[in-house]
Amino acid sequence: MNLKQIRDKARSLAKGACRVCPICDGRICAGEVPGMGGAGTGSSFRNNVAALNSILLYPRLIHSVHFPETSTRILGLDLSIPLMIAPIGGISFNVGAAMDEAEYQQAVTSGAIEAGIIAGTPDSAPDEVMKMGLAQAKKLGKGKIIPFIKPWEVELIQEKMEWCAKAGVEIVGCDLDSIGLITLRLMGKPAFAKSAEQLSDIVSKARALGLKIIIKGVMHPSDAEICAEAGVDAIVVSNHGGRVLDSAPATAAVLPLIREVVGGKLPILADGGIRSGVDILKMLALGADAVMIGRPYIIAAVGGGRQGVVLYTETLKAQLVQAMVMTGCRSIDEISSKALFAS
Ligand SMILES: Cc1cc2nc3c(=O)[nH]c(=O)nc-3n(C[C@H](O)[C@H](O)[C@H](O)COP(=O)(O)O)c2cc1C
């Protein structure tokens, strides 16, 4: 099985819900939420991809970097490359019943571990969705998945964090930007924004359960600062793949602004439009400590199951190695804005 066969199979199973385009850039699926697209005109999704494409790498060839080291340590996790699989919920209704929700979560969580990375798992209006991820947590062992909880009422977040702790989870996330998700509203269970005080409360509740907590969906430097002050363990600079607000900037555009404010205070992850190892290097050079990838893993898992997830991750690693050699970066720590060409 190669990536072309995986993509062909995913295209046929998705029956039009995902066209598996040559470049996954949100043009064809604009407005398809539920679905694979971005909200409204789809501009936020497209902005993510376009911003990364507009950034250029600066080749450097006189050095001694032959076999760069791609592994890194973040949040106490040893990763073979600075990458996590983004949490994806509603696989069956977003991708035309191409894959069962539990099957998808099994494929990404076990594939991630086999490839030396880790996957996020989703939460949704039906509790069963989160429980599927927690079943995987129990099966794979301590600290092997990162469940993301929706920004429900604080009491419900606490209850779900208790489920996580009992399942052997060590890091939880909360995708705060899900307050903009039309799918939760369609299911009659909207989520709501949190105040700085509520955020601090959620962090202390996580601590009391021995959990680290990541806040996903940060786009504004002020929100990033509040997260750092609340004692959050990491943030994900994300616009939910453009699914929660039309006309939002690209994550690659806001990342350096966020780095300026909270860099060094807490680890920064970023996602949105990352498709290749070259894109990973660009995001790291813009200020991320690690990245997340969403849609390409849906295609990999739907078309190739666990093996598809492993194969796509290995491809990303090979591309990252190549990009590190060509920019003279020996290790992940050595990747900086010097790897970028500023015209
Ligand atoms: C179909 C679909 C479902 C998603 N479900 C969730 C979710 O349940 N929780 C979450 O935090 N993010 C969710 N996301 C957003 C991803 O975690 C991630 O932020 C986004 O896909 C990154 O952009 P990319 O797809 O361009 O890589 C979803 C994205 C898609 C496309």
Side-chain angles (χ1 to χ4, degrees):
M1 191 172 49
N2 60 35
L3 282 181
K4 181 175 181 320
Q5 290 163 329
I6 290 170
R7 289 167 59 79
D8 288 345
K9 187 165 173 203
R11 191 179 299 107
S12 115
L13 289 172
K15 297 190 187 73
C18 176
R19 283 67 145 197
V20 190
C21 304
I23 299 167
C24 172
D25 60 5
R27 277 186 303 138
I28 304 287
C29 56
E32 295 179 12
V33 186
M36 289 285 278
T41 66
S43 66
S44 307
F45 178 0
R46 287 197 304 278
N47 289 345
N48 286 342
V49 178
L52 273 170
N53 284 343
S54 72
I55 292 162
L56 303 176
L57 297 182
Y58 216 159
R60 293 200 66 170
L61 307 171
I62 303 181
H63 55 65
S64 59
V65 180
H66 309 305
F67 306 104
E69 182 53 62
T70 60
S71 67
T72 193
R73 192 171 166 78
I74 183 166
L75 287 160
L77 301 167
D78 290 311
L79 304 176
S80 61
I81 51 173
L83 168 67
M84 301 183 189
I85 301 180
I88 298 290
I91 197 77
S92 46
F93 67 80
N94 282 310
V95 199
M99 197 176 202
D100 163 74
E101 191 90 38
E103 219 186 321
Y104 177 78
Q105 293 194 36
Q106 278 164 24
V108 288
T109 54
S110 58
I113 296 303
E114 191 177 329
I117 57 169
I118 192 164
T121 57
D123 183 18
S124 186
D127 289 340
E128 287 66 41
V129 172
M130 181 156 194
K131 286 181 179 164
M132 287 169 199
L134 296 182
Q136 277 301 103
K138 286 182 195 153
K139 205 159 118 193
L140 293 170
K142 222 171 164 40
K144 301 291 190 201
I145 69 161
I146 305 181
F148 282 77
I149 303 171
K150 296 283 178 224
W152 314 119
E153 298 299 330
V154 176
E155 292 68 33
L156 184 53
I157 295 180
Q158 158 134 41
E159 191 185 329
K160 293 202 165 181
M161 288 196 297
E162 283 166 11
W163 299 354
C164 292
K166 275 195 197 127
V169 165
E170 294 180 332
I171 306 169
V172 292
C174 177
D175 41 318
L176 269 193
D177 55 0
S178 283
I179 61 171
L181 258 190
I182 189 165
T183 45
L184 293 185
R185 269 177 261 149
L186 290 174
M187 287 187 272
K189 209 172 162 194
F192 297 97
K194 298 285 170 277
S195 67
E197 291 71 30
Q198 284 174 315
L199 186 62
S200 300
D201 189 22
I202 294 166
V203 172
S204 1
K205 285 178 165 48
R207 290 281 173 284
L209 291 164
L211 297 169
K212 291 181 185 162
I213 181 158
I214 304 175
I215 297 296
K216 179 169 178 280
V218 176
M219 287 293 286
H220 199 290
S222 301
D223 280 357
E225 248 179 328
I226 295 171
C227 286
E229 280 158 19
V232 164
D233 293 284
I235 54 171
V236 188
V237 175
S238 173
N239 58 18
H240 217 100
R243 293 168 69 76
V244 289
L245 176 68
D246 201 357
S247 223
T251 51
V254 300
L255 175 58
L257 310 176
I258 290 178
R259 180 87 210 176
E260 211 175 295
V261 174
V262 296
K265 292 187 189 161
L266 80 179
I268 302 171
L269 289 108
D271 73 13
I274 301 165
R275 303 290 175 255
S276 65
V278 163
D279 289 339
I280 295 176
L281 190 137
K282 289 179 183 176
M283 279 297 208
L284 299 183
L286 290 168
D289 296 297
V291 302
M292 283 188 153
I293 295 182
R295 293 176 181 88
Y297 273 110
I298 301 180
I299 294 166
V302 167
R306 181 181 53 79
Q307 262 180 291
V309 169
V310 174
L311 186 59
Y312 178 53
T313 311
E314 282 168 355
T315 305
L316 290 169
K317 181 173 174 178
Q319 293 166 340
L320 177 61
V321 165
Q322 164 89 348
M324 288 172 75
V325 169
M326 290 303 291
T327 51
C329 301
R330 195 176 308 275
S331 66
I332 296 304
D333 283 347
E334 272 191 18
I335 298 174
S336 73
S337 57
K338 287 186 194 150
L340 304 179
F341 175 74
S343 53

